[in-house]
Amino acid sequence: AKQEGRGRLRFYEARMGLQVRERRQIEHDLRHAVERGELKVFYQPQTRIDSGEAVGFEALLRWQHPERGTVPPNLFIPIAEETGSILPIGEWVLRETCREAATWEKPLRIAVNVSAVQLHAPGFAELVHEVLFTTGLAPARLELEITETALIRDLPRALATLRRIKALGVRIAMDDFGTGYSSLSNLRAFPFDKIKIDSSFTRSVDTSEQAATIVRTVLGLGRGLGLPVLAEGVETSAELAFLGAEACHEAQGYLLGRPAPIGAFGHLTAGRLRA
Ligand code: C2E
Ligand code: CA
Ligand code: CA
Ligand code: CA
């Protein structure tokens, strides 16, 4: 069975265009990426649809590999999760973004992605507490983005950890809603503050009646549960207009701002000039 699993993995890697040797090299390089300063956080604005104002950013990790150039997170995060490197990497992202956000004149939110491995690692809630204390960031400004898939590994444990984090005053968003093992009971049982609609639905909302129905249903669900909804992957004004008409609260996507180093958003993080 072990042999078979390995075979499947190799087939998968071949399909992904990743040779086994290359993958080992990436695993190795990832272990040193933090200490070598190769990781960088990009920020993407999250915008209130009714007023058009930026209310926060999502932190998106970038790996600037010395030879490979920028390695996309969809390639290296799954490897980091399998090898455990995601723990130091995830801690670095959390600390770096909280430190950065604490310097902004405007108290905008910062949303940080949390992997299943981090959520289930012992001491994760304590780590969040320590990082908030060390950086001085107001807990209400931090939002952790968690996918449903991250919960199901161990539901009672995930629930206990998220409750401890909520008790600190930190917000929790359900990420990629509708793509995983969507369970409505998870939405009810877990202390979420927001639902994020995956870009696969947003993208087709103006062209597919099915996608439009799904988005309307999630918005209705949010209203019923008292949870604001953010649509991710908004690329066109037609998509944004649909979302606005359906009273979706927030949007994120290339139309409103591509992920970039925080310096690109100085106009958003700076305070209002006093007259
Ligand atoms: P995600 O959490 O669903 O993040 C949204 C992804 O959509 C990002 O891809 C973002 O750059 C991209 N995106 C934003 N707006 C648009 C748009 O209008 N059109 C299109 N086509 N794409 C858009 P990215 O940055 O490549 O990240 C991919 C995934 O990697 C993320 O998906 C998240 O699951 C993971 N990831 C990124 N940073 C971190 C991190 O710090 N920790 C963990 N655990 N995962 C991360
Ligand atoms: Ca996310
Ligand atoms: Ca997504
Ligand atoms: Ca579209």
Side-chain angles (χ1 to χ4, degrees):
K2 197 168 179 191
Q3 205 60 39
E4 200 178 285
R6 231 181 257 145
R8 230 183 283 128
L9 183 65
R10 203 163 283 172
F11 173 68
Y12 178 69
E13 283 168 349
R15 269 204 351 209
M16 300 292 288
L18 212 63
Q19 300 302 318
V20 174
R21 198 154 32 88
E22 196 181 357
R23 149 135 191 173
R24 294 244 171 77
Q25 189 64 52
I26 290 181
E27 282 177 15
H28 172 267
D29 293 351
L30 255 183
R31 274 196 283 275
H32 304 285
V34 171
E35 67 212 46
R36 291 179 183 160
E38 295 169 1
L39 297 180
K40 192 163 174 56
V41 178
F42 273 25
Y43 293 79
Q44 185 177 37
Q46 300 184 326
T47 305
R48 251 183 84 145
I49 296 179
D50 59 4
S51 65
E53 75 185 311
V55 289
F57 294 94
E58 179 175 1
L60 293 161
L61 192 55
R62 296 291 178 263
W63 181 18
Q64 202 56 55
H65 190 282
E67 287 118 40
R68 294 170 195 275
T70 304
V71 184
N74 285 334
L75 200 154
F76 73 83
I77 294 213
I79 298 177
E81 286 175 332
E82 277 173 45
T83 60
S85 293
I86 193 68
L87 292 177
I89 290 174
E91 177 175 341
W92 179 84
V93 172
L94 183 68
R95 203 174 290 282
E96 171 72 15
T97 51
C98 289
R99 205 167 46 74
E100 171 59 42
T103 68
W104 302 341
E105 286 173 47
K106 272 199 191 147
L108 301 178
R109 282 195 316 256
I110 180 67
V112 179
N113 291 286
V114 172
S115 113
V117 178
Q118 290 175 276
L119 182 65
H120 290 92
F124 181 63
E126 289 71 19
L127 173 70
V128 173
H129 187 192
E130 180 268 313
V131 168
L132 288 170
F133 179 81
T134 306
T135 62
L137 185 75
R141 293 182 55 200
L142 177 63
E143 186 167 272
L144 300 181
E145 295 195 0
I146 317 256
T147 63
E148 292 167 285
T149 321
L151 302 177
I152 57 160
R153 175 171 302 196
D154 183 345
L155 283 172
R157 190 187 170 97
L159 183 57
T161 301
L162 289 182
R163 282 198 178 135
R164 295 232 292 287
I165 290 170
K166 267 287 277 212
L168 301 171
V170 172
R171 297 162 49 91
I172 318 270
M174 167 160 282
D175 205 359
D176 293 350
F177 185 68
T179 62
Y181 305 82
S182 296
S183 153
L184 298 180
S185 63
N186 285 345
L187 251 194
R188 205 169 57 112
F190 280 79
F192 290 108
D193 299 286
K194 179 193 270 185
I195 301 171
K196 290 191 80 176
I197 300 182
D198 190 66
S199 51
S200 55
F201 304 113
T202 309
R203 191 184 307 142
S204 310
V205 91
D206 51 334
T207 49
S208 146
E209 194 47 49
Q210 261 178 334
T213 301
I214 291 171
V215 169
R216 279 195 201 97
T217 304
V218 177
L219 288 167
L221 196 60
R223 269 192 292 280
L225 295 170
L227 297 178
V229 177
L230 179 149
E232 60 179 19
V234 177
E235 292 185 350
T236 69
S237 41
E239 291 156 10
L240 189 64
F242 174 94
L243 294 163
E246 296 294 334
C248 182
H249 305 83
E250 293 175 17
Q252 182 183 343
Y254 294 168
L255 179 70
L256 302 151
R258 285 183 181 255
I262 195 62
F265 301 113
H267 58 295
L268 298 180
T269 57
R272 205 178 286 278
L273 283 177
R274 254 154 293 181

